[in-house]
Amino acid sequence: MNCVMVTNNSKCFEKWKGKIKVDYSEEWKYLDVLTAARDYIHRGYFLLTHPLAGSVKPNQTPFKSILLSTESLEGAEEFKDLILIEESIAAYHKFMNNRPLPRWSEKSTDDFRTIDLSLMEGAMSNPILNRR
């Protein structure tokens, strides 16, 4: 499957660089990852992972990774993915307006990288993604 991972997480970048396309920037914020994923959808990509996957809210973690593909899963429609990413961007703004991201210690920041990495490891182990 022709996948791209959009991320600001160095652990995800290091794990998957050279294996799949990884669109990574250390400078990106959570919102930048959502916006980059939206740009991919505009270019014909489909979401393989939910933009708000996991139980960590956008105002709790600085890291986000999203997996997309040029192939849809089970007849996904581009406009539905576009609506989902736009709703995720709106949710990001709602959470950040209610309570901005705290200044986390380096230990906590690294823990959030690990949580995001774990979510992507789960997604990447999905047999549907590995069928080709």
Side-chain angles (χ1 to χ4, degrees):
M1 188 170 272
N2 186 15
C3 298
V4 61
M5 182 181 295
V6 179
T7 186
N8 65 344
N9 184 345
S10 59
K11 287 187 176 189
C12 287
F13 173 71
E14 290 300 323
K15 178 153 187 156
W16 283 291
K17 71 179 179 185
K19 297 175 185 157
I20 64 169
K21 179 179 178 184
V22 181
D23 193 349
Y24 164 76
S25 175
E26 188 175 338
E27 303 302 315
W28 280 349
K29 305 296 183 213
Y30 193 113
L31 180 60
D32 297 317
V33 173
L34 294 174
T35 302
R38 181 187 62 195
D39 293 346
Y40 275 98
I41 293 168
H42 280 296
R43 289 182 282 189
Y45 281 72
F46 297 89
L47 289 169
L48 296 180
T49 58
H50 194 286
L52 299 177
S55 59
V56 183
K57 295 178 181 77
N59 62 343
Q60 295 173 326
T61 180
F63 302 105
K64 187 68 201 161
S65 299
I66 300 173
L67 195 60
L68 301 105
S69 173
T70 55
E71 301 174 52
S72 68
L73 294 179
E74 301 173 13
E77 298 176 36
E78 183 178 349
F79 77 91
K80 288 183 181 177
D81 285 351
L82 189 56
I83 290 169
L84 180 57
I85 197 74
E86 291 292 355
E87 288 173 347
S88 299
I89 290 170
Y92 168 88
H93 287 297
K94 180 184 93 172
F95 280 111
M96 294 304 282
N97 286 338
N98 289 338
R99 187 179 210 172
L101 186 67
R103 288 183 164 259
W104 296 109
S105 68
E106 184 53 41
K107 168 75 172 103
S108 294
T109 300
D110 193 56
D111 288 345
F112 284 120
R113 279 189 195 94
T114 301
I115 291 168
D116 183 61
L117 174 65
S118 178
L119 289 169
M120 287 297 100
E121 287 173 337
M124 292 297 286
S125 69
N126 186 327
I128 292 173
L129 297 181
N130 297 305
R131 67 177 181 226
R132 297 188 179 143

